[in-house]
Amino acid sequence: MLGYVVRRLLGAIPTLFIIITLAFFLMRIAPGGPFDQERALEAKVLENLNRVFHLDRPVWEQYLYYLGNLARGDLGPSFIYRDFSVQQLLANGLPVSIQLGGMALLVALLAGSVLGTIAALRQNSWIDYSVTAVATFGITVPNFVVAPLLSLIFGVWLSMLPAGGWGGGSPQNMVLPVITLALPQVAIVARLIRGSMIEALRSDHVRTARAYGLPARMIVGVHALRAACLPAVSYLGPAAAALLTGSVVVETIFGLPGIGRYFVQGALNRDYTLVMGTVIIIAVFVVIFNLIVDLLYAALDPRVRYD
Amino acid sequence: MEKMAETIFDIRGIRVTFDTPDGAVEAVRGVDMHVKAGETVAVVGESGSGKSQIMMAAMGLLASNGRAEGSVTYRGQELVGLPREKLNRIRGAKITMIFQEPMTSLDPLYTIERQISEPLRVHGGLSAAAARKRALELLKLVHIPDPERRLKSYPHELSGGQRQRVMIAMALANDPDLLIADEPTTALDVTIQAEILGLLAELQRKLGMAILFITHDLTIVEAFADRVYVMQHGKVVEEGATEQIFNRPAQDYTKMLLAAEPEGHKPPVPKSAPILLDAHKVSVTFSARGGLFSAGFALKAVQDVTLSLRAGQTVGIVGESGSGKSTLGRALLQLLPSEGRVVYQGVPIQGFSRAAMRPYRRNLQMVFQDPYGSLSPRMTVGEIITEGLLVHEPGLSAGQRVEQAMEALKEVGLDPAMRNRFPHEFSGGQRQRIAIARAVVLKPTVIVLDEPTSALDRSVQKQIITLLRRIQQSHNLSFIFISHDLAVVKALADYTIVMKSGQVVEEGLTDEVFERPRSDYTRDLMEAAFDLKSVLNRQAEARV
């Protein structure tokens, strides 16, 4: 298995390289530059800035220069957050995003599988219909509606929880953002699990388990749930990568110092290095979570082999 | 002894009803049945006779839209309507079941050890270690080779026969009183079927449980059962001792089932008949290319098979699953890449691209095994039949195409008015007729029939065989008839090729191959198919 993991990680290097290259040149095609402002800078100042950041060189030279720095682990300085390097920004923001995303993922997995399983076991009952209705609600209502609503109800009217802010990562501050992030995921996982659970419960080997008098908790928990998990696992891989790399909406509305907003701000301001940094982080997360999904799949299903 | 034994399983007036969108469907309509201690009872009936649903009702396994009325008692305990907790003390312990599909009946995600242990731990309260020990004993009891290693195996690592042995081991785990076997050998090859039946007989002698054996194949119970119930349309039509049912059947339906062996015989074509399809050393290799870091593999599915098909001839290809017979059929029609040389009427078609093959396709048709999967569910029967004409006779008007479709439907014995219906409205046998009509409408010269009768009941099989024989004569067709069912090949083919592991082990005129098989393999196949009784007797003697 270790060999397989190493092979997969080595295989990811060309993928990352292509992503970096595409992102680099796409950024440069976009009109404007990091130092364009409402009021144009003095020509001399602009020239100096461009020289300092090597923006006066041909693009291919800048590209090679960037790759060289990247190989040494240097993501470069941010053009907009003048006193910070991209590393520093990511190092500060990523832990926040990972904590929020990780908790949301956990909530999605637990609540989603419990709701999905209950709905499947009580198929076509009022419980099933209410789970489906809630799931549809969770998927259709966008987070920029949910977040302010939660903030308004629990933060402002009821004063139970802080309406926003990170508060040094205190649990109270995390509740509302985690719920906002988790809600659509809970809904999707519940629907996936419900569907695959219904199929698993109809399968021949579950009939065998029934015919052998196994108690219901074993039939559902041991025989049906494991098979029913598989589609949810393959969904959660890419979903986890997206959750853990932050959400611009949630971070902006709750005022959280995660990395999600860097992507949008960086892109709007043509902060080339910051955008490249976020792209690399997201790409690495996607690669890693796809690998984790494949490993989990093989662990859950003995018919899947590494090759 | 039979008179002395007490009745342990008693079914009285059982009715099973399914609620469907089209209203209630009664699958079982008042059946009485009983099993005495240590007895072997067979329940025989064709698909849809309700034979399995009785057992599902008894064991609380009906689908959620099913209802059971009536009474099923086990040693005086009523099972119908029994709360699940109480039922769970009986099923899996006192009454156990094995099923038709050993692959899907075992959980693919858990080891054999775990699956045999679960009922032991649940019913017998055994510790993990004790259950493991007992599981190993059970695997030895059902003669699984290398049982220690097999405990750690997953179902997909076993062969079909071994999986059914594992199911039997599970069924025996808690020393049951009654083993219900629901078509346990239907999905298996004939030689494996003989082994499994022999095993069941042996275990019954050793352990003394009663067996309730459900099957569609009356002929296999002769060597095996004490008593037989014959079912049709949800009712028992005849009941009696095996000897009486086989020698003095009272009901026409029973007689029909007994005589279900396909009949007929095809005389060989004259040597002067022209050769239509000539295949020389055809091989098919399935391979996976090795990746950067992994080795590839290659599997020779068909190896150097040479055959020729003359006008009007039927070449039967028999073999067990995995023998490469279907692959060969597809390779002959250039439906998958192969090596060797295939010549159709003087044209070497070997390796032809799809486009190059197209003009020949109408002459070289194919009919598949699964009449459910091979007809598009979203097309009407008329559209299915005329689709080929659109390609091969684009000049025809819509009206002419419909005319030809009606002609073809009439020819296969279906009402031409049915052409506007969809495949799901037809039975398996009717669908196979539609598939044949689809091939015949193109006026081909050669049809490759890949197990066309295997998914059908014996009585329907017979009709399809008669139909095939008739259209062969009226159109002077040549068939390549692929089947694992020796009886069908014997009835239809004039030349027979026996395949095993991708190679031809024996070939010759059908009469010679069936009367005087030369290879041991063919002899084993014949005996398992036509003389199950002596195979079972020999197995029993060998074990004493």
Side-chain angles (χ1 to χ4, degrees):
Chain A
M1 191 186 106
L2 192 66
Y4 173 77
V5 172
V6 171
R7 274 206 308 276
R8 281 285 299 267
L9 291 178
L10 287 177
I13 291 175
T15 314
L16 288 178
F17 177 76
I18 292 168
I19 292 172
I20 289 167
T21 308
L22 278 177
F24 189 92
F25 288 104
L26 281 175
M27 274 305 285
R28 300 305 160 117
I29 291 170
F35 307 116
D36 292 348
Q37 292 172 1
E38 301 270 312
R39 201 159 54 84
L41 287 172
E42 225 175 289
K44 190 71 190 163
V45 177
L46 191 61
E47 196 188 312
N48 279 338
L49 276 171
N50 279 341
R51 200 174 49 248
V52 171
F53 291 109
H54 303 280
L55 294 177
D56 53 346
R57 303 295 179 82
V59 177
W60 63 268
E61 215 172 288
Q62 293 179 40
Y63 171 67
L64 291 181
Y65 179 75
Y66 183 78
L67 282 187
N69 282 342
L70 190 62
R72 284 193 301 277
D74 182 3
L75 293 170
S78 167
F79 294 139
I80 305 300
Y81 303 89
R82 293 282 160 79
D83 297 326
F84 295 93
S85 70
V86 172
Q87 271 109 309
Q88 286 170 322
L89 290 173
L90 293 179
N92 290 337
L94 195 55
V96 174
S97 293
I98 289 184
Q99 278 183 61
L100 289 172
M103 300 227 304
L105 194 63
L106 205 66
V107 171
L109 196 60
L110 290 178
S113 22
V114 169
L115 287 175
T117 305
I118 292 173
L121 289 176
R122 300 272 175 274
Q123 200 192 340
N124 298 334
S125 69
W126 66 269
I127 303 178
D128 182 19
Y129 294 137
S130 11
V131 169
T132 311
V134 170
T136 313
F137 181 79
I139 294 169
T140 48
V141 180
N143 53 3
F144 55 79
V145 174
V146 174
L149 264 182
L150 287 176
S151 179
L152 191 66
I153 295 170
F154 294 97
V156 179
W157 292 346
L158 300 175
S159 299
M160 286 164 66
L161 294 160
W166 178 236
S170 78
Q172 293 98 307
N173 288 63
M174 284 201 238
V175 175
L176 296 181
V178 165
I179 291 178
T180 312
L181 282 172
L183 205 60
Q185 308 300 331
V186 170
I188 295 172
V189 172
R191 283 171 57 121
L192 281 174
I193 295 267
R194 175 186 179 271
S196 50
M197 192 72 174
I198 287 172
E199 199 180 313
L201 287 171
R202 280 192 200 137
S203 68
D204 283 357
H205 66 261
V206 165
R207 180 185 65 186
T208 307
R210 287 214 178 93
Y212 280 79
L214 302 188
R217 65 186 151 75
M218 260 175 102
I219 293 174
V220 175
V222 177
H223 290 282
L225 191 58
R226 187 160 162 185
C229 273
L230 293 172
V233 166
S234 39
Y235 166 73
L236 279 175
L243 278 176
L244 296 180
T245 49
S247 149
V248 62
V249 173
V250 172
E251 285 171 16
T252 309
I253 292 173
F254 289 107
L256 302 168
I259 63 164
R261 65 215 156 99
Y262 289 153
F263 194 59
V264 175
Q265 284 173 12
L268 291 177
N269 293 319
R270 304 288 183 271
D271 191 341
Y272 297 144
T273 43
L274 185 57
V275 170
M276 290 304 295
T278 359
V279 165
I280 292 172
I281 290 284
I282 292 174
V284 166
F285 267 77
V286 169
V287 165
I288 289 177
F289 275 95
N290 277 331
L291 176 59
I292 291 177
V293 164
D294 288 350
L295 293 178
L296 258 179
Y297 231 92
L300 284 171
D301 188 341
R303 288 166 298 182
V304 176
R305 297 189 322 174
Y306 312 110
D307 43 31
Chain B
M1 174 204 152
E2 202 189 305
K3 285 243 156 47
M4 308 268 290
E6 69 173 309
T7 295
I8 55 169
F9 193 62
D10 202 2
I11 296 173
R12 294 271 158 232
I14 193 94
R15 290 177 174 277
V16 179
T17 315
F18 290 97
D19 295 318
T20 71
D22 303 328
V25 174
E26 218 172 24
V28 180
R29 323 168 190 208
V31 165
D32 294 342
M33 250 179 221
H34 68 274
V35 181
K36 292 177 179 173
E39 195 184 19
T40 303
V41 176
V43 181
V44 183
E46 295 191 294
S47 52
S49 62
K51 57 194 189 300
S52 292
Q53 294 309 331
I54 297 178
M55 306 309 150
M56 295 298 161
M59 299 290 273
L61 298 174
L62 281 180
S64 56
N65 64 338
R67 283 177 283 123
E69 296 154 83
S71 154
V72 179
T73 52
Y74 164 71
R75 291 191 186 274
Q77 163 83 66
E78 178 62 54
L79 300 183
V80 176
L82 192 65
R84 201 166 57 198
E85 291 73 37
K86 287 189 177 160
L87 190 59
N88 275 350
R89 265 174 247 155
I90 294 172
R91 54 183 187 182
K94 297 297 170 199
I95 307 177
T96 56
M97 285 187 92
I98 59 177
F99 302 96
Q100 175 170 351
E101 285 289 345
M103 178 74 232
T104 56
S105 300
L106 291 166
D107 191 331
L109 306 183
Y110 292 96
T111 61
I112 301 307
E113 175 184 345
R114 166 114 192 204
Q115 298 190 54
I116 301 181
S117 297
E118 273 177 348
L120 284 167
R121 301 188 66 179
V122 167
H123 295 289
L126 265 61
S127 70
R132 191 192 132 80
K133 206 170 142 244
R134 176 86 177 118
L136 185 61
E137 281 172 24
L138 287 161
L139 286 190
K140 286 180 183 159
L141 187 68
V142 297
H143 309 298
I144 289 231
D146 204 356
E148 281 90 356
R149 201 164 59 86
R150 282 304 174 210
L151 279 179
K152 297 281 167 246
S153 297
Y154 289 93
H156 70 275
E157 296 167 325
L158 307 180
S159 68
Q162 285 175 335
R163 283 183 210 127
Q164 201 57 291
R165 284 169 193 266
V166 169
M167 275 307 295
I168 295 172
M170 240 173 111
L172 298 175
N174 292 302
D175 277 327
D177 260 356
L178 172 64
L179 170 65
I180 300 174
D182 188 357
E183 302 260 11
T185 60
T186 306
L188 304 174
D189 285 322
V190 278
T191 51
I192 310 293
Q193 163 170 289
E195 284 173 23
I196 294 293
L197 292 175
L199 175 69
L200 284 173
E202 174 200 342
L203 292 169
Q204 188 180 31
R205 267 196 309 279
K206 228 185 252 179
L207 307 172
M209 74 281 186
I211 295 182
L212 188 58
F213 193 93
I214 301 164
T215 179
H216 68 284
D217 188 351
L218 183 52
T219 50
I220 67 170
V221 304
E222 184 183 11
F224 189 74
D226 302 321
R227 221 150 42 80
V228 178
Y229 290 94
V230 179
M231 282 191 69
Q232 186 191 19
H233 304 319
K235 283 185 170 161
V236 171
V237 292
E238 186 163 5
E239 185 237 323
T242 307
E243 180 268 335
Q244 175 202 328
I245 294 281
F246 274 79
N247 296 325
R248 297 178 302 283
Q251 300 295 322
D252 289 343
Y253 185 69
T254 313
K255 286 177 196 160
M256 192 277 290
L257 283 181
L258 279 171
E261 199 88 311
E263 285 159 356
H265 171 260
K266 185 174 184 307
V269 293
K271 281 253 179 344
S272 58
I275 292 180
L276 290 181
L277 193 67
D278 199 15
H280 183 71
K281 292 210 167 192
V282 172
S283 296
V284 179
T285 311
F286 292 119
S287 58
R289 206 163 53 87
L292 195 53
F293 300 95
S294 58
F297 75 94
L299 175 83
K300 284 226 153 193
V302 175
Q303 269 184 64
D304 297 334
V305 175
T306 296
L307 69 85
S308 51
L309 178 68
R310 291 174 189 276
Q313 194 179 29
T314 299
V315 173
I317 303 178
V318 283
E320 298 190 294
S321 50
S323 62
K325 55 191 189 302
S326 289
T327 309
L328 172 65
R330 276 156 213 231
L332 291 176
L333 296 194
Q334 308 304 314
L335 290 168
L336 44 79
S338 58
E339 295 145 53
R341 199 183 76 224
V342 181
V343 178
Y344 170 70
Q345 291 199 322
V347 184
I349 57 171
Q350 174 68 30
F352 268 23
S353 67
R354 282 187 186 191
M357 264 313 282
R358 197 158 294 136
Y360 299 96
R361 287 269 175 243
R362 74 171 301 175
N363 294 319
L364 300 168
Q365 282 293 305
M366 186 146 190
V367 173
F368 298 94
Q369 169 173 3
D370 180 7
Y372 294 82
S374 57
L375 301 178
S376 169
R378 285 177 192 81
M379 290 168 76
T380 65
V381 167
E383 286 167 350
I384 289 172
I385 293 174
T386 53
E387 196 181 22
L389 291 173
L390 285 175
V391 179
H392 295 293
E393 277 189 52
L396 288 183
S397 70
Q400 287 170 312
R401 280 199 304 274
V402 169
E403 237 164 68
Q404 295 210 13
M406 290 170 68
E407 190 69 26
L409 279 170
K410 239 183 273 170
E411 185 153 22
V412 297
L414 290 175
D415 181 359
M418 289 174 167
R419 68 182 184 281
N420 292 323
R421 298 203 194 160
F422 288 91
H424 71 263
E425 298 172 64
F426 294 87
S427 69
Q430 287 175 320
R431 285 183 217 207
Q432 207 56 293
R433 285 173 193 267
I434 294 166
I436 293 169
R438 168 170 67 177
V440 170
V441 78
L442 294 173
K443 313 250 181 311
T445 50
V446 174
I447 304 182
V448 174
L449 300 141
D450 189 359
E451 303 261 14
T453 59
S454 301
L456 308 174
D457 281 325
R458 274 288 190 201
S459 56
V460 182
Q461 244 177 39
K462 251 180 140 165
Q463 299 162 5
I464 296 291
I465 289 169
T466 313
L467 169 68
L468 287 173
R469 193 174 279 140
R470 201 181 67 226
I471 60 168
Q472 176 165 46
Q473 276 161 6
S474 57
H475 295 273
N476 193 30
L477 282 170
S478 306
F479 289 153
I480 290 190
F481 190 89
I482 299 163
S483 182
H484 72 282
D485 189 335
L486 282 89
V488 178
V489 172
K490 188 180 176 188
L492 265 182
D494 51 274
Y495 192 86
T496 298
I497 294 175
V498 183
M499 283 185 73
K500 187 191 180 211
S501 317
Q503 283 170 311
V504 173
V505 290
E506 181 158 0
E507 61 182 303
L509 293 176
T510 300
D511 291 348
E512 283 172 24
V513 172
F514 280 79
E515 296 305 321
R516 292 175 294 281
R518 278 164 289 144
S519 75
D520 291 344
Y521 179 73
T522 313
R523 253 193 299 277
D524 288 348
L525 271 185
M526 302 282 167
E527 203 179 20
F530 298 115
D531 194 8
L532 191 58
K533 207 168 184 172
S534 55
V535 181
L536 294 185
N537 287 341
R538 209 171 49 244
Q539 279 180 10
E541 280 163 27
R543 293 227 163 95
V544 169

